Amino acid sequence: MDFSLELDYLYKELGFIESEIRQLNGLAKSSFANWILYENDDDFREKIIQTKRIVNELPDLLGEDKDKTYLILFQNNLSIRPTGGTIVTVAFISFSKGKLSNIEALNTEVVDTYLKGFVAPPGPIAKYFESESFNLRDSNWDPNFARAAEQAEWFIDKEIDRQVDGTIAIDVDLIYEILLFTGGVHIDKLGIDVDANNLRQVILERPSNEIWSELLSELLESLIKLDDSKKTVLFKKLLSGLEEKHMLVFLHNVNAQRSISELAW
């Protein structure tokens, strides 16, 4: 069954359940029905509606007619910034004809060396971090992720002449959750294994951003190879990440972005 049709079915089933609950009497209705109807049901219904709208945009989002590329910001939330953490690595994920076509991860420190000219930093960065310039690494200074994403995209354009169709940010906590069920990755270039148990230790012991770009590359490659059962678990992890703000999304597709905003993702 098409996922969009499944959401339609679920929405209709909620209507039947709601009708049956309203027919309950006495203690059952006062202790159970009201909680379902007034605290959960409306929010759940709204999530179904907005999710269906995003699903309807998937052909466009996945490059069915025109190739799409998205910027991934890997935020180290062990070093706090307004939208989650310092941007230590970026990646570009491209889709063509509905399929993943390319993955490329880059060290933010390297990308920032290509910035020509001078960009004055926001006052707090200049004051508290004694920084004389503004760049991609700290571009997520605005707590509004849509504006922070646009700023990151601006730096990507100016520094390495890359244009994207949206930006997704993930942090260490989400990477931890993903590693928890994938079992970890081996980074050949550095000769180390990284899993949920040693993730934070590896980050603290290797301050260079090199670990981040290598980790993100290996992790993304491993996720592509997951079997269908594990992809379902991954999808749930990502949804939890969105709900808990360990994953943030900004899309140029107006309809999808409107639904993402309504879902507070």
Side-chain angles (χ1 to χ4, degrees):
M1 183 183 292
D2 181 86
F3 186 43
S4 181
L5 294 178
E6 289 181 354
L7 290 172
D8 280 337
Y9 174 77
L10 180 57
Y11 188 87
K12 291 175 182 177
E13 284 297 299
L14 280 176
F16 291 132
I17 293 172
E18 179 179 347
S19 177
E20 291 180 4
I21 288 175
R22 290 187 183 280
Q23 296 178 33
L24 294 175
N25 294 305
L27 182 62
K29 185 169 185 175
S30 62
S31 63
F32 174 71
N34 288 342
W35 179 75
I36 292 291
L37 293 175
Y38 301 124
E39 292 191 25
N40 285 342
D41 195 54
D42 287 343
D43 287 343
F44 191 42
R45 280 171 171 270
E46 181 62 22
K47 286 183 178 181
I48 292 174
I49 292 171
Q50 299 302 339
T51 301
K52 182 176 183 295
R53 288 174 179 168
I54 295 173
V55 170
N56 289 340
E57 296 298 324
L58 282 179
D60 177 70
L61 295 173
L62 299 180
E64 189 64 42
D65 297 320
K66 180 182 178 182
D67 292 358
K68 300 290 183 180
T69 297
Y70 300 96
L71 172 66
I72 309 295
L73 305 178
F74 195 173
Q75 302 186 130
N76 178 9
N77 54 319
L78 301 183
S79 176
I80 294 297
R81 290 294 187 275
T83 67
T86 302
I87 302 172
V88 289
T89 291
V90 297
F92 297 94
I93 298 184
S94 300
F95 295 88
S96 180
K97 305 298 182 184
K99 296 181 179 180
L100 182 66
S101 59
N102 188 56
I103 296 176
E104 179 185 6
L106 301 172
N107 186 326
T108 307
E109 291 177 345
V110 174
V111 175
D112 278 334
T113 64
Y114 293 103
L115 180 63
K116 296 178 181 180
F118 170 77
V119 180
I125 291 182
K127 180 178 180 180
Y128 296 107
F129 296 100
E130 299 182 350
S131 177
E132 298 180 353
S133 62
F134 193 36
N135 51 31
L136 175 62
R137 178 179 181 274
D138 293 316
S139 61
N140 57 346
W141 192 253
D142 195 313
N144 181 308
F145 184 68
R147 290 197 292 264
E150 289 177 334
Q151 183 72 77
E153 292 176 9
W154 184 88
F155 276 110
I156 286 293
D157 178 32
K158 300 303 179 184
E159 293 179 340
I160 55 176
D161 193 25
R162 299 285 291 268
Q163 293 77 45
V164 296
D165 299 288
T167 297
I168 300 168
I170 58 177
D171 66 13
V172 175
D173 290 345
L174 181 58
I175 297 302
Y176 170 85
E177 290 297 328
I178 293 174
L179 289 173
L180 206 57
F181 87 92
T182 62
V185 296
H186 178 72
I187 302 177
D188 288 328
K189 187 175 181 179
L190 301 177
I192 60 173
D193 294 307
V194 181
D195 57 27
N197 294 322
N198 70 353
L199 174 63
R200 289 178 174 81
Q201 180 182 351
V202 169
I203 291 171
L204 293 173
E205 291 179 351
R206 294 174 179 264
S208 170
N209 283 6
E210 182 180 28
I211 180 65
W212 295 98
S213 56
E214 295 297 326
L215 173 59
L216 189 55
S217 293
E218 294 293 338
L219 185 60
L220 291 173
E221 290 290 346
S222 69
L223 294 181
I224 295 172
K225 300 174 184 177
L226 290 176
D227 59 38
D228 289 343
S229 62
K230 285 193 173 182
K231 285 180 180 178
T232 301
V233 177
L234 173 63
F235 183 69
K236 292 179 180 179
K237 294 281 186 184
L238 295 180
L239 283 179
S240 295
L242 286 166
E243 293 286 348
E244 297 169 6
K245 306 302 181 186
H246 295 302
M247 180 176 180
L248 303 170
V249 179
F250 170 71
L251 299 174
H252 294 189
N253 179 302
V254 176
N255 294 329
Q257 182 57 38
R258 184 181 297 115
S259 291
I260 285 171
S261 298
E262 290 292 334
L263 289 165
W265 288 352

